[in-house]
């Protein structure tokens, strides 16, 4: 366990003042963890800088005293990337949350790293634009954290990941230097683009302090449809039909157990009269402005092929939102079972073979446990959540699931897939990184870390070691 020396504690107190340097037990608990519950939080302090200069000063102090820092955003991560369990100092960007400017001609927004995603989205909407990266945790996640984890979400099939929307970054490296990367430019062919090294680097190379984000035109009249399907094979067939006929914004799936958990927890009505093993939730731009005929034709064709048993289509914004809840509320609903989360991806073309093999593995290894499936199947990303039975200890459960994960990741590795599609590597997926990245790649990551964080003070123990 690390304890910052008294000289560093005093320097941080003087720099940040009483509201910027916290050591009370409840703040340590709150800031020391993310949404994972496998490692108990145990930071020694929380530093809340108010400016880039503060961040630089904190990094220099940490470097001088060799005390590790855990960069921290909204702490909604699911891989333990923001967990501080070793007496580290948490460096929270929560006070640096201002939106700095919005350019309607250049269609971009600049903000500090601690800006809440939902506030950025609202600022864009107020000007008739959108920041299109969206997910259930947008009300508390922060832009800096989204960038550090290259967050995905529910509309990646249409808009891509966070990486696609970052046009400028300010980052403080592990030596306290400030890098200004790409400066909001759309075109800039001047050699290596370090912005992309930082996006998805999980706080091990630098601390993101400001960002410039591209904005987009809002989609035209989004509508949502939920379709009940007999199998995952049918879900893939529905996807193909929808790809051809609709301008898709999202194509999600959930299992009946996922639906059951959400409707029971929130007292909601099932969306369809007949229950089905799986459901597709499809969002698309209204193809014929309120004329449902083309959509109904698509659904009828799917029914005739046996891929769809029943379907419901939104006719109002309220209905669209309530259908989305069935999917967006899953993660929070199942959190009480301390789920072991697999966030896997393959190419969309390989999804059917992956599903076949994963379904067989689950039947074999988890036949006594509840397995909740959902995910962004339209972009090849599946979330496989194993719910912890009350009778199991957290440790025993985690070990058992980690053993099965090795088999799962073996399947993925054969198919060239990813062991972490959008949640990041953090603590929980670190031991499995070799299933997705070669030894050479991991070695290069390490060399790059040495250059930018020579003393290894930034988020040690996560993603890669020095
Ligand atoms: C989701 O798709 O709901 C999020 O990635 C969170 C989760 O997987 O639990
Ligand atoms: Zn997801």
């Amino acid at each position: 366990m690390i304890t910052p020396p008294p000289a560093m504690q005093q320097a941080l107190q003087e720099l940040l003042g009483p509201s910027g340097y916290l050591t009370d037990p409840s703040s340590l608990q709150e800031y020391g963890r993310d949404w994972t519950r496998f490692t108990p939080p145990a930071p020694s302090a929380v530093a809340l800088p108010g400016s880039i200069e503060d961040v630089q000063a904190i990094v220099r102090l940490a470097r001088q005293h060799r005390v590790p820092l855990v960069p921290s955003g909204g702490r909604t991560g699911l891989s333990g990337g923001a967990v501080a369990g070793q007496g580290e100092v948490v460096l929270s960007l929560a006070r640096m949350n201002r939106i700095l400017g919005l350019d309607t001609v250049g269609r971009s927004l600049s903000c500090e790293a601690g800006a809440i995603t939902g506030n950025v989205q609202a600022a864009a909407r107020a000007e008739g634009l959108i920041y299109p990266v969206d997910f259930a945790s947008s009300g508390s996640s922060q832009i800096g954290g989204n960038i550090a984890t290259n967050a995905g979400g529910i509309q990646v099939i249409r808009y891509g990941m966070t990486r696609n929307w970052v046009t400028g970054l300010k980052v403080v490296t592990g030596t306290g230097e400030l890098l200004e990367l790409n400066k909001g430019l759309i075109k800039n062919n001047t050699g290596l683009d370090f912005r992309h090294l930082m996006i998805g680097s999980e706080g091990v190379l630098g601390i993101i302090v400001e960002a410039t984000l591209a904005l987009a035109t809002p989609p035209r009249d989004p509508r949502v449809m939920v379709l009940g399907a007999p199998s995952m094979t049918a879900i893939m067939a529905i996807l193909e039909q929808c790809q051809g006929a609709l301008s898709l914004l999202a194509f999600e799936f959930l299992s009946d157990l996922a639906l059951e958990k959400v409707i029971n927890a929130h007292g909601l009505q099932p969306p369809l009269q007949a229950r089905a093993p799986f459901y597709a939730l499809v969002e698309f731009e209204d193809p014929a402005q309120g004329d449902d005929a083309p959509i109904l034709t698509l659904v009828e064709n799917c029914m005739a092929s046996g891929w769809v048993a029943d379907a419901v289509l939104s006719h109002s914004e309220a209905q669209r939102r309530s259908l989305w809840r069935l999917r967006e509320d899953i993660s929070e609903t199942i959190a009480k079972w301390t789920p072991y989360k697999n966030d896997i991806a393959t190419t969309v073309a390989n999804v059917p073979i992956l599903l076949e093999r994963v379904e067989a593995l689950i039947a074999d290894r988890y036949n006594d446990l509840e397995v909740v499936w959902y995910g962004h199947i339209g972009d090849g990303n599946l979330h496989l959540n194993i719910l912890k039975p009350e009778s199991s200890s957290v440790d025993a459960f985690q070990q058992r699931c980690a053993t099965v994960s090795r088999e799962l990741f073996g399947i993925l590795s054969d198919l060239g897939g990813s062991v972490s599609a959008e949640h990041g590597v953090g603590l929980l997926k670190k031991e499995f990184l070799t299933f997705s990245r070669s030894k050479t790649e991991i070695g290069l990551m390490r060399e790059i870390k040495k250059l930018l964080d020579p003393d290894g003070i930034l988020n040690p123990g996560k993603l890669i070691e020095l």
Side-chain angles (χ1 to χ4, degrees):
M1 200 59 77
I2 304 137
T3 312
M8 178 173 172
Q9 296 182 28
Q10 196 183 336
L12 286 174
Q13 271 164 19
E14 280 166 16
L15 177 74
L16 303 168
S19 56
Y21 183 72
L22 311 175
T23 52
D24 61 287
S26 101
S27 299
L28 297 182
Q29 279 286 312
E30 186 188 333
Y31 285 90
R33 70 183 188 188
D34 59 13
W35 277 2
T36 57
R37 292 292 179 265
F38 293 111
T39 310
S44 52
V46 182
L48 292 128
S51 66
I52 293 178
E53 293 72 27
D54 283 353
V55 176
Q56 290 179 286
I58 296 168
V59 169
R60 288 188 184 120
L61 278 168
R63 192 174 182 209
Q64 181 191 343
H65 295 282
R66 296 285 198 274
V67 170
L69 297 172
V70 175
S72 176
R75 301 181 306 283
T76 57
L78 294 163
S79 289
V83 170
Q86 308 282 341
E88 306 94 326
V89 172
V90 173
L91 191 158
S92 165
L93 279 299
R95 290 208 301 184
M96 292 175 61
N97 58 8
R98 287 174 306 158
I99 291 177
L100 302 170
L102 193 153
D103 171 6
T104 48
V105 180
R107 300 180 140 219
S108 72
L109 176 152
S110 297
C111 62
E112 292 181 307
I116 302 287
T117 315
N119 293 347
V120 166
Q121 292 168 336
R125 263 198 312 274
E127 296 296 338
L129 295 167
I130 55 164
Y131 175 62
V133 181
D134 195 18
F135 28 72
S137 60
S138 60
S140 46
S141 77
Q142 297 174 7
I143 288 296
N146 297 353
I147 296 172
T149 54
N150 187 26
I154 52 179
Q155 293 189 326
V156 171
I157 190 174
R158 173 64 165 264
Y159 296 109
M161 310 271 281
T162 297
R163 184 181 300 286
N164 297 18
W165 298 90
V166 178
T167 58
L169 275 184
K170 289 189 188 173
V171 181
V172 174
T173 68
T175 58
E177 273 155 313
L178 178 67
L179 299 177
E180 291 190 49
L181 305 175
N182 201 56
K183 299 178 184 161
L185 297 171
I186 295 170
K187 297 179 118 176
N188 178 17
N189 272 344
T190 52
L192 305 186
D193 191 340
F194 297 133
R195 172 181 45 152
H196 288 294
L197 265 186
M198 295 296 168
I199 302 170
S201 65
E202 302 190 22
V204 306
L205 301 182
I207 296 164
I208 294 162
V209 288
E210 269 181 36
T212 305
L213 305 168
L215 305 176
T217 305
R220 192 170 31 83
D221 302 324
R223 296 184 75 180
V224 165
M225 175 161 75
V226 172
L227 307 111
S231 64
M232 287 301 294
T233 316
I235 296 274
M236 296 312 287
I238 300 167
L239 170 62
E240 190 172 2
Q241 295 299 306
C242 290
Q243 295 270 36
L246 299 170
S247 171
L248 287 181
L249 293 162
F251 190 98
E252 301 278 313
F253 91 101
L254 53 148
S255 62
D256 192 45
L257 184 58
L259 178 76
E260 186 180 300
K261 297 279 182 204
V262 172
I263 58 182
N264 287 349
H266 300 283
L268 304 175
Q269 286 302 313
L272 305 173
Q273 280 183 344
R275 296 289 278 269
F278 297 99
Y279 305 89
L281 184 150
V282 192
E283 188 173 48
F284 50 92
E285 289 182 284
D286 197 347
Q289 304 277 309
D291 172 8
D292 291 353
I295 307 165
L296 295 180
T297 305
L298 179 134
V299 174
E300 277 159 18
N301 289 342
C302 289
M303 284 178 161
S305 302
W307 301 323
V308 169
D310 196 2
V312 59
L313 174 65
S314 71
H315 285 94
S316 66
E317 182 56 16
Q319 208 182 357
R320 184 179 80 89
R321 282 180 187 280
S322 68
L323 290 174
W324 259 122
R325 277 198 69 187
L326 302 172
R327 165 64 185 89
E328 290 214 287
D329 285 359
I330 302 173
S331 189
E332 207 184 320
T333 302
I334 62 171
K336 67 177 179 186
W337 282 277
T338 323
Y340 184 93
K341 287 178 167 290
N342 284 296
D343 163 39
I344 56 178
T346 183
T347 57
V348 177
N350 274 338
V351 167
I353 173 83
L354 176 69
L355 287 170
E356 195 182 303
R357 295 177 67 182
V358 174
E359 280 183 321
L361 182 74
I362 292 171
D364 189 35
R365 297 287 191 280
Y366 288 135
N367 56 10
D368 56 328
L369 298 185
E370 286 193 304
V371 177
V372 174
W373 286 79
Y374 53 95
H376 320 284
I377 194 90
D379 58 45
N381 179 189
L382 309 165
H383 294 315
L384 189 66
N385 289 254
I386 324 300
L387 307 192
K388 187 181 86 56
E390 253 181 67
S391 54
S392 261
S393 72
V394 170
D395 278 354
F397 172 67
Q398 203 187 4
Q399 267 176 31
R400 173 179 170 184
C401 294
T403 307
V404 183
S405 280
R406 294 203 160 269
E407 292 180 58
L408 172 66
F409 296 156
I411 298 172
L412 269 173
S413 182
D414 285 351
L415 296 173
S418 173
V419 299
S420 186
E422 59 171 7
H423 295 171
V425 175
L427 283 175
L428 296 187
K429 295 295 178 292
K430 196 174 125 185
E431 63 175 301
F432 306 116
L433 191 57
T434 47
F435 285 92
S436 286
R437 307 298 296 266
S438 70
K439 284 209 169 73
T440 310
E441 282 182 295
I442 294 171
L444 283 170
M445 286 191 207
R446 200 169 285 127
E447 292 306 313
I448 292 166
K449 178 160 171 79
K450 274 187 205 158
L451 287 173
L452 290 163
D453 179 25
D455 302 304
I457 55 158
L458 295 181
N459 223 5
K462 321 286 170 49
L463 179 59
I464 38 163
E465 297 286 355
L466 265 190

